[in-house]
Amino acid sequence: RQSLARELRFRGMDVVVPRDVDMLERTDEEQLECAARNNRVVYSLNRKDFYKLHAMWVGTGRSHTGIILSRQNLQVGEQMRRLLRLASRLTAEEMINRVEFLTAWG
């Protein structure tokens, strides 16, 4: 993750990783809450759990600032290209309460 974050930052994206915001040992829900409080989109390889959280939050009227989910086996360079493509086409407002699968941005 550090290499992906570094490459995205180099290309001008405002990226933090859990270590940057003291969230390494926190639950997925705590990470989503932190992201929502700080107007950040979550990027995760944990598709099953974050998709469940999205459904639970939206179903109960809670709002989040977006979730991007990816596969485990996607190489860093490919993740970066797809994330940059997604970021260039969707605004922060369009990401609210939305889940995007990185595989769709190939």
Side-chain angles (χ1 to χ4, degrees):
R1 278 195 194 213
Q2 293 294 333
S3 61
L4 177 60
R6 183 178 51 252
E7 291 299 320
L8 290 169
R9 287 178 187 133
F10 180 74
R11 285 160 178 79
M13 292 195 71
D14 179 16
V15 175
V16 297
V17 296
R19 174 176 287 136
D20 297 339
V21 291
D22 195 31
M23 295 300 291
L24 269 181
E25 300 298 323
R26 304 296 178 97
T27 67
D28 295 337
E29 185 157 19
E30 288 171 319
Q31 290 185 32
L32 187 57
E33 288 169 346
C34 179
R37 271 193 316 274
N38 292 289
N39 295 315
R40 293 196 171 273
V41 173
V42 168
Y43 176 63
S44 180
L45 306 179
N46 185 354
R47 296 185 302 178
K48 181 181 172 188
D49 292 338
F50 273 99
Y51 193 79
K52 281 183 184 177
L53 273 175
H54 160 74
M56 183 179 73
W57 277 41
V58 172
T60 59
R62 289 180 78 182
S63 184
H64 63 77
T65 46
I67 302 171
I68 302 169
L69 300 172
S70 183
R71 306 190 312 250
Q72 294 280 342
N73 61 347
L74 206 56
Q75 297 203 357
V76 170
E78 189 61 27
Q79 290 178 63
M80 182 188 62
R81 282 187 290 282
R82 291 176 186 215
L83 285 166
L84 290 170
R85 184 175 299 130
L86 188 157
S88 73
R89 295 195 181 144
L90 293 176
T91 66
E93 293 78 25
E94 291 171 320
M95 282 301 298
I96 293 173
N97 292 326
R98 186 173 184 155
V99 172
E100 284 293 324
F101 291 91
L102 204 59
T103 53
W105 292 88

